[in-house]
Structures are given as structure tokens and as C-alpha cells.
Amino acid sequence: MNIKLKNYFIALILMSLIMGCASASKKETDFYDLEVEKFSSSVKSLLTDLEFLKKEILKVNANKPSIQRILIEADNLWMKKDLKQASSTLERGLRIAKDESALYLRLAHLRLEQGLAKESSAFAERGLLNKGASSWELLLLKIYSAQKN
Amino acid sequence: MKLSLRLILFSSLTILLVICIAYVSILDSRVINKLEGVLWTVPAKVYARPLELAEGGNINIGQLKKELEILSYEQTKKLPDNPGEFSLNQNSASIFIRGFKSQEPGFYKLQFEKGRIESIKRQDGISIDLIQLEPLSIGGMFPSHLQDRILLNLSQVPTDFQEMLLIVEDKNFYNHRGISLKSITRAFIRNTRALGIEEGGSTITQQLAKSLFFSPEQTIRRKIKEAIAALLIEIHYTKEEILLAYINDVFVAQAGRRAIHGFGLASQFFFGTDLKNLTLDQKALLVGMLKGPSLYSPTKNPERAKARRDLVLTLVKNDSLISEEEYFELKDRPLKIIPPTFKSLSKYPAFNDIVTLDLRKNFDDSDLRTKGLRIITNLDPVVQDYLEESIRKTKAKLEKRYGSQLNELEGAGIVVDSFSGEVVAAVGSTKPNSYGFNRAINAVRPIGSLIKPFIYLSALQQYGKYNLSTLLDDSKLSVPLSGDNVWEPNNFDKKFHGDVPLHLALSESYNVATTRLGMELGYSAVQETFTKLGIKKRISNYPSIFVGSFEMSPLQAIQAYQTIASEGFFSPLNSIRSVESSEDVLSLSYPYKVEQRFRSEPIYLLKFVLKQTFISGTARGYPLKVLEKWKVGGKTGTSDEQRDSWFVGYAGNYLMLVWLGFDDNRKSPLTGRSGALQVWKSFMSKLDPLSYEVRRPSRIKYEWVDAKDGLLSGQKCKGSIFIPFIEGTEPEIIPQNRKKCRINKESYSSKVINKIKEAIEAK
């Protein structure tokens, strides 16, 4: 990721936190919504730029070589717009390893492209439970999970 | 006079000609109909999931061995050098894979390290990151004539096999027009001398015609009919088409009620692999069987089958298809067929019933019986094997303990991958391989305390009102019913416990406290939770519903628990992975469907209590290390007068539900703990599942509270427990007598240090 992009995200996160604090003070303690509020609508707006997100997601690699091979296969199908097969290939990956964030991210994006926003969000939420996810992966997953709100 | 005689003769000849033409036309249309009808009606085949072995993936060597045994691989002491062989060492396995779809057959060596596959290498040393074992064939959807086949196209039939077949069955195939006068004359002379049928002079085309009419009789009339049909076939079809039809249609073996037709299926049936992967001796065995599928059957008459195979090898050697050395080497080989994977129509009747239910949502019966679909299911044959064994063995143990009163005890068990909702194993009887009433789907019974977590989940979603230490009233309760009737629920131990914290009321399964809680929440709130859990049935407005009069089938009940086991993510249960057409094209995929039905926080709290079942509740007795490794949770259930014994529990990604009881609903001596739980325990100890780490929801914090009054306490206070709360909902009151034993509030610096520690832990 280039420096410009990183700065953009740091700014976004800071803005989100500030807005989050503001909104938290407005609302009564709603424990569940607090985090999403913090995350703010500005991050959600990234969902309108699917091409940008796709590029970022395609850069996320898997830890296991076998899953990496599956990712390459799925990405090729994705490029050919065979979303059904790409999705089924990624699910094959999930059967082998449930702790690879790269799989959740791609599935969240593919479901969105398939017009299944609720499922996209659910895959992202599942990915967020993954203990091994990096901060960058968590941030990207958050973007997709924000759809339900 | 002369004229009228001529006229009569002419008319008779004309009528005869018309009759002949009509007969040939009828025969012609029958031949075409049969060739383009029956031959291409291929029943759907049902397969288990193919096992994937991935570099870096988890591995349980015992389970790998079991899988290979189920697939009829033979364990060898030396390195395997034939398809279908494997050898095992402490830290490695060598497998000669038979091959399946894109998976090339060949030798692969797997190196293990701490329960993981460290590397996979081919014989030439090249590293491979992923290999697949062929899936186990588990059944089919057969048409009424019960013919089964796998259609091949000519490119899937090796040339040497075609040559071998022609050498043995019809050397002049490419030179005759359906019938070979030379062969017929030779057979006629021989049969006349013997005064009976000793030799057939049928060409492959005639044999095809014969098999199309399904008549084994050897009469002159049938022979003529067969010859005309053969001529007609030759007019309509090319030699290649005829040969292919023969290869796909010829009858090779009978397996129970199922008729094995064609070499595609015969190859799978006897050797577990595609025809293209067979060695010459294996091909010779199949070709040799055509003379008499029963007489030369390698399962029924292995010696005769070997002699016939060797004869075929002699014929192909004489025809220079193989050399003298090859001939002697092939002749020395044993038959080595695999035990048929399923003799009857299905090996796993309960699982197949679930598959049929799922298939009927998208396919009609005729599609399933004629289109040659390949149905890849989620069945894990190793898990299925463990499940069957656990049910069988536990029943035997219970019979030993409780005597003949349990002879007719029945049961059902389902195992699901809680992450995806994939059904991986199912049994519908204590005799798992028998057909009949499938209790996994059809036994709709009161679920007893299995219902309680759903009610507590309804409460925990109202986080402002309920937390794990909220006190519930477990004193005597009288509920007025219609008329002068009163309903008074009781606890299993026949005692009332006064005020009890919510977590204790659930882990101890108190009926009275639960009924009060349900009534307090209201039917509509509970109904809402039921619906979110995937329960389609409406609850009736009777308070007894809260303590288990609610009826469900095992399949319905496990669906509800899938959402709980899966951190609040609902996935509809599904037994099928994909359906492919006979040309390996994906016809229908069954994608993962995930929907977040509950926030992760209330589910976390509920799962904390369900874990207590194993620590201090009805399923206690496991070492803590095992519980941590498996990440368990579960609930026992016993219906009124112990008519039903239930247990549902998850470990790793596996969620398993067991029901035991009698079909006539009589009382049993079994509770959930003494019956169904024992099956679960036996199963999980065999499976020893691995779990993957899930992040704790960020709003969950732990607090020391008193086990009885639920108010704040401290680590050093007597009777205190450390339980989770959603941040901000933890109790605030600290009784005076506990102020001293409660650890002083953390200093700012220790708070920071703890936060850093937590962050490192999370990493």
C-alpha cells in the first residue's frame, strides 16, 4: 500500500473516532452500536468504490501455501467474472482453513458483487472473529460489515 | 382362373412384403428408441465429500488411515507402487492415489509435524500443496429397472482397452455389417454337431442388439430378430458409435438389486478408479467377465475369473498387443479387486434420506433417475463411521447395564459442521445401516431441556435487563390454566432453590426458574428467538412449552443449535455440496449461506454457560485441557418420565445431536446424561476434534461475582466466580462483607500493563 493511501486511512480512522465520540455522547449507552458509530459513515462510503476495494483485497494473501493456490484459482475466476465458481473455490478454501482472512475478505466482496449485501456483511463479521487477522485485514472487513447498519 | 391365381399370389406376396416392411420398421423404431433411450438414462450417483490434503493443513493420522481403509486402500509394509496402496510411518504417509477428476493418480508422500501436514511431495520430489482423494460412492437414485452405469465417451476409453475388447469379442468388427457369416457358420457347425448351443457367433453389434431387448433366451427366432436389429443398428450408426454404445451398455455384474452396466461403472465398482487408470491385467479381467458375468465374477469365483483373465492376456499376447515378458508379468499379478463400496442401493440410508430431501428442492424425480448427475454430498465417511460405532456400542453398553428393557431402544444422531451448516453424518436407528423409519428426520419428540438455551438467549439479548448474574426466582410456582386447573412445574431434583443467578438456573436446568423467565419474557419474545434460530414451528401459548413439551425432530433441533455453536451466524443445514452433470459440468452449486442472526455478545454469554455443562453440570468429567482444546458447550435434555434422552453439544467445528428413546414412546431408565450424552462422549473421544481460535467480542469483560447472590465479589472472596458480562451491564453493588476480599481497583499503570498484555495475547 502506498504512503498516500495509508495516510488517507489514518485520517479516516481518526475522523471516525472523533465522530464516534460525538455520537456516543448524543445517544444513550447502546453497547452494541457504539463501535459502529465510532466507525462512522465515512468508512461506509468506501463501499461505493468497489474497484478500489477489489484492488486492495486482491493484495491480501493467505498464510498457508495451499490456500494461496486456491486464492489464485479463485482470483482468476473472479477476473473472468465467473463469480459462482470463484465463490465455490473460496468456500473450498474455508473447508481447509477457517482462519484465513483473505478468504473472508474475498467472499465478502464477491457476495456484494452478487448483490447479496446481507451475506457480504455476515462473511465480514465472521472474518472479524478470526483471531489471526491483521489490523489491515480487520479494517477492510469492518468496511463490509458496516453494510448492515 | 390363372389370372386370379396370379392375383392371389401377387396379393399374398404384397401382403407378406408389407408385413415384413412393417415388422422391420417397428423393429427399427424399437432399436432406435432403445439405443437412444435406456442407454442414456443414467441414474444420479451420490458421493461423499472428497478428502483434501493440504500443505499446512491439520491432519489426524488415525482418521487418514480410516479414510483410506474405507476407500479400500491396502496398507503395505514397503512403499506403495500400485494404485490403491498406502504405507504409514510415525511422521509420514505414502499414498498411491487412484486418481479422480483433475487429481492425477500417482505416488505422494506426506510429511507430518505436530498434527499438521508439513509437506506433500510427488515421487519425483516435486512439492505439491494440495491433493484430493477420490470420494466414496455412497448410493444412487435408480430407475425402476435398477440398471446403473457411468457413461463414457470414446476419448475416455483407452485404445489398448478397445483393442483388447475387439480381439476377444469381435475381431472383424470393422469389416462386417452387423453380422459375420463366417462366425455364424462356424458356430452353426459346432452347435449342430453338439446338438445344442455351444458357441455364439454374435458380433459386438449383435450383442448390443441382444442386450437392448433384455432377453437371455437362445432361440432361432430371437437370433433372427437380433440379426435384423444388428443390421439396422449398422445402418443408423457409425462403427465408433456402436462400439461406444456397447462399452456403455454391456452387462458386467450384479450387485444386490443393482445391475452394473458398462465398463465405466465396472471399473469404479471393481477397482475404485476410472477406466483410463486401469492396468492391463485389470482391463483383461473386465473383458474376460463378459463371457459370463456371474460365472467369471472375481467376487464369487475368483479362480475362474483369474483363469479367464489369463486367457484374455494370452489372446492379446498372440495378437502382439503385449510382449511375452509383459504377459508373464501380468499373469502373475493377483486379481486385487476392492470390496464393493455399496452392495445395496445405499450404504448410509439416513444420510441419503436427508440428501433426497435436499435434492427434491431443485430436481424432479426423473432428472435424478435418468440424467447421470453426480451428487457430491458433505458426508464425511470417517465421521459417519464413528457415529455409527458410537450409537451401536453405547446401546450395547446400556443394555448390559439396564438389561433387556432396552432391547428395543432406538436412536438417532446427526453431526453438522457448525461453521457452515454442512451435515456430515447421520444415523436414524440404533441399527444404522438398516432401512426403515428414519428417526433423524421423522421422530418428532418433546425436546425437554434442550429448549432452555433458546429462552435464556431471549433474555440475554435484553442486556439492559438480564445478565448472567441476574437473580431468577426458583420458588414454587402455580400457573392457573383454563377452568380450575393449575399447573405446577417441578425441578428434576424435586426441590425449589429460591433466588438463583441466571447462569446457575441454566447450567443446573431449573424448570421453575426457566418457566418464570419465559413467562416474564413473553411468548412473542421467545417466538422471535426461535424464528431467528431457524425454528419454523410456532410455539403455543402454554407455559409448559418453556420446560420442554415443545416437540422437534433431531434435524430441526440441531438446526437451532447450529446458530448458537456458530457464534450467532445462521447457516441453513445442507447435505449437498454440488451437483454436476455427467460431463463434469457444474449443474448446481450449494453455496455457503451465512446470516448473522444474533450479536456475538449474548451468544458469548450463552456459550459460557453451555460450557459449564462440561465443567460442573450434567456432562462434567472431562479434563480441563480437553475442554479447552475442543472449545465445548452442550445441553442435556430429558422429557417427561424419561421418555426421551437428548444431548446436543459442540466441540471444535463439530456439532452433534443425539436422541435415544422408544418408538412406542414408553418410559425408559435413561436421562440425557445417562443415555444420549454417552453416545456423544464416545463419538467425540474418537474424533478428537481440533478447534480454531475465535476472537472474544470486544465488549465482553469478566468480573468476580458471588455464585449465589450475583453481586460483585473478589477473587479472594469465598464462593466467588469469574464470569463474563457485556461491558456496562456488570453488577455495581459490592456487599459490605466482601469489600475487604475484593482486590483493590487496578491502578492506572497496572491497567495499561494489562491492556498491553491483552493486546499481545490477541496477536
Side-chain angles (χ1 to χ4, degrees), chain B residues 536-557:
Chain B
K536 288 178 182 147
K537 210 167 148 185
R538 303 284 310 169
I539 57 168
S540 39
N541 292 3
Y542 298 115
S544 62
I545 214 87
F546 301 126
V547 286
S549 65
F550 191 70
E551 291 182 343
M552 288 176 105
S553 71
L555 194 68
Q556 289 166 335

Side-chain angles (χ1 to χ4, degrees), chain A:
Chain A
M1 193 173 45
N2 59 37
I3 298 165
K4 251 187 172 179
L5 250 176
K6 257 188 185 161
N7 289 341
Y8 172 62
F9 272 97
I10 291 165
L12 261 179
I13 294 163
L14 284 174
M15 263 173 61
S16 311
L17 287 171
I18 295 161
M19 287 174 72
C21 293
S23 58
S25 60
K26 267 186 266 165
K27 258 185 144 183
E28 279 296 302
T29 337
D30 185 335
F31 309 102
Y32 295 145
D33 293 342
L34 202 64
E35 198 169 334
V36 181
E37 285 291 335
K38 268 190 209 164
F39 201 62
S40 94
S41 55
S42 54
V43 173
K44 264 198 247 175
S45 69
L46 277 174
L47 283 166
T48 55
D49 194 352
L50 285 184
E51 274 311 304
F52 162 75
L53 284 173
K54 186 174 174 178
K55 269 185 206 158
E56 285 308 309
I57 282 167
L58 286 169
K59 288 179 203 162
V60 179
N61 293 326
N63 296 318
K64 295 185 185 74
S66 50
I67 303 299
Q68 190 55 40
R69 187 178 122 186
I70 284 175
L71 286 187
I72 293 166
E73 204 180 315
D75 290 349
N76 285 334
L77 290 161
W78 191 3
M79 293 305 124
K80 287 180 202 159
K81 299 207 183 309
D82 188 350
L83 303 187
K84 216 165 126 185
Q85 273 289 7
S87 180
S88 139
T89 308
L90 292 168
E91 286 162 20
R92 183 179 164 209
L94 271 186
R95 286 188 190 101
I96 297 167
K98 293 179 169 59
D99 54 357
E100 289 278 5
S101 301
L103 293 168
Y104 293 97
L105 272 169
R106 279 165 173 81
L107 278 165
H109 193 98
L110 276 174
R111 288 293 194 270
L112 199 58
E113 280 193 16
Q114 288 171 312
L116 303 166
K118 218 170 167 185
E119 270 197 43
S120 163
S121 161
F123 270 111
E125 285 284 347
R126 281 221 74 138
L128 286 169
L129 292 177
N130 178 16
K131 227 175 178 176
S134 70
S135 314
W136 178 236
E137 287 162 354
L138 288 176
L139 184 68
L140 285 171
L141 285 164
K142 275 272 175 198
I143 294 168
Y144 293 92
S145 79
Q147 287 171 96
K148 63 184 172 193
N149 297 291

Side-chain angles (χ1 to χ4, degrees), chain B residues 322-337:
Chain B
I322 53 170
S323 66
E324 192 89 11
E325 294 83 55
E326 275 177 303
Y327 166 71
F328 284 113
E329 195 266 316
L330 293 168
K331 214 170 99 125
D332 282 345
R333 289 191 190 171
L335 290 183
K336 264 193 161 177
I337 56 154

Side-chain angles (χ1 to χ4, degrees), chain B residues 188-461:
Chain B
F188 179 75
I189 294 167
R190 198 162 167 195
N191 293 339
T192 314
R193 273 188 201 151
L195 295 171
I197 306 287
E198 236 184 26
E199 184 186 323
S202 300
T203 62
I204 275 186
T205 321
Q206 280 173 285
Q207 288 183 51
L208 178 65
K210 178 184 157 187
S211 78
L212 291 176
F213 293 105
F214 311 116
S215 163
E217 55 175 327
Q218 294 254 37
T219 62
I220 297 291
R221 198 173 151 217
R222 205 219 67 195
K223 281 273 170 197
I224 293 169
K225 200 168 148 185
E226 194 182 289
I228 299 170
L231 288 169
L232 291 169
I233 290 173
E234 292 272 347
I235 291 169
H236 289 294
Y237 301 97
T238 64
K239 284 285 181 188
E240 284 73 22
E241 284 169 335
I242 295 167
L243 182 62
L244 183 63
Y246 179 77
I247 286 168
N248 280 323
D249 185 59
V250 69
F251 171 66
V252 191
Q254 189 70 37
R257 288 164 60 210
R258 177 175 170 231
I260 309 294
H261 281 254
F263 290 105
L265 181 60
S267 172
Q268 288 290 348
F269 188 77
F270 288 108
F271 303 110
T273 189
D274 295 339
L275 189 62
K276 65 175 186 224
N277 299 329
L278 295 191
T279 53
L280 271 174
D281 57 310
Q282 291 172 323
K283 289 171 187 162
L285 178 75
L286 294 183
V287 170
M289 284 173 66
L290 296 184
K291 192 173 162 65
S294 177
L295 191 67
Y296 299 108
S297 159
T299 46
K300 289 181 198 153
N301 300 309
E303 280 170 18
R304 271 195 183 143
K306 186 175 181 304
R308 177 75 190 155
R309 182 203 70 175
D310 294 348
L311 180 67
V312 172
L313 289 172
T314 311
L315 290 174
V316 293
K317 181 202 68 178
N318 294 345
D319 231 77
S320 309
L321 191 65
I322 53 170
S323 66
E324 192 89 11
E325 294 83 55
E326 275 177 303
Y327 166 71
F328 284 113
E329 195 266 316
L330 293 168
K331 214 170 99 125
D332 282 345
R333 289 191 190 171
L335 290 183
K336 264 193 161 177
I337 56 154
I338 60 164
T341 46
F342 65 103
K343 280 272 187 196
S344 61
L345 298 187
S346 166
K347 197 178 175 188
Y348 306 115
F351 186 86
N352 264 36
D353 282 348
I354 300 174
V355 171
T356 308
L357 278 182
D358 285 341
L359 279 173
R360 294 248 156 87
K361 292 172 194 163
N362 298 299
F363 296 92
D364 63 37
D365 224 38
S366 79
D367 286 346
L368 296 174
R369 295 187 191 285
T370 61
K371 289 194 173 163
L373 300 171
R374 285 166 53 89
I375 297 151
I376 311 293
T377 68
N378 292 316
L379 181 105
D380 183 326
V382 175
V383 175
Q384 176 73 28
D385 196 77
Y386 289 163
L387 175 62
E388 290 180 4
E389 201 183 319
S390 304
I391 285 233
R392 252 191 243 114
K393 285 193 173 166
T394 308
K395 190 194 169 188
K397 271 187 192 168
L398 292 171
E399 276 177 318
K400 216 171 168 186
R401 187 169 166 195
Y402 294 98
S404 58
Q405 59 173 323
L406 290 186
N407 282 356
E408 287 168 36
L409 182 74
E410 270 306 341
I414 305 174
V415 185
V416 161
D417 177 342
S418 58
F419 180 88
S420 60
E422 292 177 340
V423 181
V424 294
V427 295
S429 166
T430 45
K431 293 174 231 48
N433 302 117
S434 64
Y435 288 84
F437 187 55
N438 182 354
R439 293 156 196 87
I441 303 174
N442 298 318
V444 181
R445 311 287 295 238
I447 61 168
S449 297
L450 249 52
I451 202 170
K452 286 181 182 142
F454 311 157
I455 296 154
Y456 285 82
L457 181 58
S458 304
L460 291 169
Q461 287 177 94

Side-chain angles (χ1 to χ4, degrees), chain B residues 548-619:
Chain B
S549 65
F550 191 70
E551 291 182 343
M552 288 176 105
S553 71
L555 194 68
Q556 289 166 335
I558 200 169
Q559 171 72 81
Y561 273 89
Q562 177 275 328
T563 311
I564 295 170
S566 176
E567 325 299 333
F569 292 88
F570 168 84
S571 293
L573 296 190
N574 178 28
S575 62
I576 305 167
R577 198 167 280 189
S578 65
V579 177
E580 293 161 6
S581 71
S582 50
E583 291 85 30
D584 285 350
V585 178
L586 189 72
S587 286
L588 189 69
S589 62
Y590 287 75
Y592 274 9
K593 283 187 179 145
V594 188
E595 199 185 317
Q596 190 173 17
R597 294 270 173 99
F598 299 91
R599 304 289 311 207
S600 52
E601 293 85 353
I603 292 285
Y604 184 90
L605 299 182
L606 180 67
K607 287 182 89 168
F608 174 83
V609 186
L610 294 179
K611 189 177 166 186
Q612 301 307 307
T613 311
F614 286 89
I615 296 171
S616 55
T618 44

